[in-house]
């Protein structure tokens, strides 16, 4: 009897303390995140007029407009193209660098510091300096190209090249971040595996494919999923690098860029909301596909 | 055997060096351009790499157009407020999720996970409307608003608490500590490294955030650095020495902090992993 009341007193106190500790976070999450999700869904059924006109309920018209809006499909395509360039390159390069740094190497912390440096720069500053490097007349890159006898490239005004130029900035910015995550994963692989493989006569490249790659695959999966989600939300570099009058803008603007433009420049928050709903669906779909596919290649053991 | 190993390591150093040059050149070009005159920066024949004279005109002129002290202060406030809110709320919630057993915990935790899976743009319009209704546009609170709590940080701290041994908790309980005291004196101090990681993560991404500041704080004297730089480009599109001077001034404080605390930065990012 006595013991039972002690247990339930303990339970009661855990319940009270638990919810007291959760209170700020849960209240915040509900107000800042959960309610806004429903508000965004709700808003996507309205047409937002200019200031003061208020909301007009228009049912699925925003979605109808969305599906027939060529600019939205182009933006979705642009976003996917960006992700298809940025994600594999940033991951492959970062993995190779992490493997190098995990080996016997001098000045490991100096290399790491250098490769991580772009991560601590403001994206607006990064975009500006790259825009200057890409400048077709006075930019350093075209100067170097002309120096070796090639003709300059219109890095950010040629619609066929601009998305790659933006993706290069994305890769450059995020390599250090991916590298740090891979490096942490590599450190967990026991050294004896490599020693045993060496005795068996496996060379470095063999070891990479038979030991490193399978054992790093959980980290690889995590980085891939988060990088794809990040790439699908690309905004900063496009907003900063592509001027409003840039002829290549149509072929590079991302879904989030369109969302920003419609919601906050043109003030049509209803249509902006429907674009962000499309983004949500696309991200959920891609993430789900990745979750299903992981069984084929991710090695948890 | 020995010779081939030497060649291999030479190749590794070569690739690392090339890569480092690619990482550093944009920063160097930022510095070099900032100290040039406009005509030097856009002169092609001959192409000028190092400024003939290291001029400070671009800096003086950009400082006269942008109130950098104000911008540094706004950014610092944003970072400090966000770090305090994130670490405080996530530490408490992380402890409840990681160590306590009570009704409703799993439902609450599923909301945390749900928030982490949803792209953050979905919150922006309603958050903007809330701040606007509160009359808090162009205030420091407006900038802080989405960072009052953190689902990601809660998750991170929960993982940290789950990794602690339960013997400590039991010992504290036998000594007569209640749950609050156990948390405050025994458990929370043990998650210090995760708190530091969360703090660094929050500070870095608060500093880098662009869309939210562009939306809520449109007045010059309440903006953080990131938004001010973005506005600048529209105004003086072609004055590259000034744009580079502004970029340099915006990046320098964080770069210095990073160089001093680079070990904590990199370990913090490695442990928090996290999402962008």
């Amino acid at each position: 009897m006595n013991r039972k009341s002690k247990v339930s007193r303990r339970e009661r106190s855990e319940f009270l303390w638990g919810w007291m500790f959760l209170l700020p976070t849960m209240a915040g999450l509900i107000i800042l995140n959960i309610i806004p999700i429903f508000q965004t869904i709700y808003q996507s059924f309205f047409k937002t007029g200019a200031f003061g006109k208020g909301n007009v309920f228009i049912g699925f018209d925003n979605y109808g407009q969305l599906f027939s809006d060529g600019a939205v499909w182009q933006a979705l395509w642009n976003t996917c193209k960006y992700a298809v360039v940025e994600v594999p390159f940033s991951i492959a390069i970062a993995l190779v660098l992490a493997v190098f740094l995990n080996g016997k190497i001098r000045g490991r912390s100096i290399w790491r510091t250098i490769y991580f440096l772009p991560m601590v720069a403001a994206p607006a500053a990064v975009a500006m300096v790259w825009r200057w490097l890409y400048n077709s007349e006075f930019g350093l890159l075209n100067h170097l190209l002309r120096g070796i006898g090639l003709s300059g490239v219109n890095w950010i005004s040629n619609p066929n090249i601009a998305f790659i130029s933006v993706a290069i900035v994305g890769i450059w910015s995020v390599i250090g971040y991916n590298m740090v995550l891979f490096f942490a994963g590599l450190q967990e692989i026991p050294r004896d595996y490599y020693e045993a493989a060496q005795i068996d006569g496996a060379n470095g490249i063999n070891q990479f494919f038979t030991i490193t790659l399978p054992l790093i695959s959980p980290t690889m999966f995590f980085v891939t999923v988060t990088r794809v989600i990040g790439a699908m939300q690309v905004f900063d570099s496009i907003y900063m690098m592509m001027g409003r009058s840039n002829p290549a803008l149509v072929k590079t603007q991302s879904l989030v860029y369109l969302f920003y433009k419609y919601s906050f420049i043109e003030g049509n928050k209803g249509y902006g909301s429907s674009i962000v709903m499309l983004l949500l669906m696309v991200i959920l779909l891609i993430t789900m596909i990745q979750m299903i596919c992981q069984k084929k290649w991710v090695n948890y053991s | 055997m020995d010779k081939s190993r030497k060649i291999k390591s030479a190749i590794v150093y070569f690739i690392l060096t090339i890569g480092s040059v690619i990482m550093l050149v944009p920063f160097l070009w930022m510095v070099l351009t900032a100290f040039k005159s406009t005509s030097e920066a856009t002169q092609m024949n001959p192409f000028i790499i190092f400024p003939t004279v290291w001029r400070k005109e671009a800096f003086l002129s950009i400082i006269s157009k942008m109130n950098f002290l104000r911008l540094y202060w706004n950014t610092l406030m944003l970072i400090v407020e966000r770090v305090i809110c994130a670490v405080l709320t996530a530490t408490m919630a992380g402890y409840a999720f990681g160590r306590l057993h009570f009704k409703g915990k799993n439902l609450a935790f599923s909301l945390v996970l749900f928030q982490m899976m949803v792209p953050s743009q979905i919150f922006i319009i309603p958050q903007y409307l809330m701040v606007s209704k509160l009359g808090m546009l162009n205030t420091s609170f407006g900038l802080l608003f989405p960072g009052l709590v953190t689902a990601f940080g809660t998750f991170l701290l929960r993982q940290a608490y789950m990794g602690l041994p339960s013997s400590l908790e039991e010992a504290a309980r036998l000594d007569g500590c209640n749950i609050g005291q156990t948390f405050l004196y025994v458990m929370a101090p043990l998650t210090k490294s995760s708190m530091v990681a969360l703090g660094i993560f929050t500070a870095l991404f608060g500093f880098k955030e662009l869309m939210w500041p562009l939306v809520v704080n449109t007045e010059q004297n309440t903006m953080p650095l990131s938004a001010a730089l973005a506005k600048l480009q529209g105004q003086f599109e072609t004055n590259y020495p000034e744009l580079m001077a502004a970029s340099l001034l915006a990046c320098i404080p964080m770069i210095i902090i990073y160089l001093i605390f680079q070990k904590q930065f990199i370990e913090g990012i490695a442990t928090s992993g996290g999402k962008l």
Side-chain angles (χ1 to χ4, degrees), chain B residues 160-180:
Chain B
Y161 279 110
M162 284 173 71
L164 297 177
S166 54
S167 53
L168 291 162
E169 222 168 8
E170 273 154 32
R173 202 197 323 173
L174 289 176
D175 282 348
C177 288
N178 67 23
I179 291 173

Side-chain angles (χ1 to χ4, degrees), chain A residues 14 19 31-32 39-40 106 111 113 115-116 119 128 131-132 138 143 172 177 227 233 240 256, chain B residues 13 16 19-20 22-23 33 42 47 101 103 121-122 126-127 130 208 211 233 237 258 262 273 276:
Chain A
E14 283 206 24
W19 275 104
I31 294 168
L32 292 169
Q39 284 175 325
T40 298
R106 271 166 211 255
W111 298 113
T113 308
Y115 282 101
F116 195 76
M119 272 302 289
M128 277 204 270
R131 195 178 172 172
W132 174 221
F138 313 115
H143 172 72
W172 179 84
Y177 183 81
R227 273 322 306 151
Q233 300 178 56
M240 289 298 297
V256 175
Chain B
Y13 283 109
L16 284 174
S20 301
I22 296 172
M23 289 291 128
T33 306
T42 53
F47 190 81
H101 304 280
K103 243 190 176 155
Q121 291 81 10
I122 206 168
Q127 285 175 344
M130 285 181 209
K208 292 177 68 141
M211 195 195 282
Q233 181 165 272
E237 195 130 350
Y258 163 66
Q262 50 109 352
L276 281 174

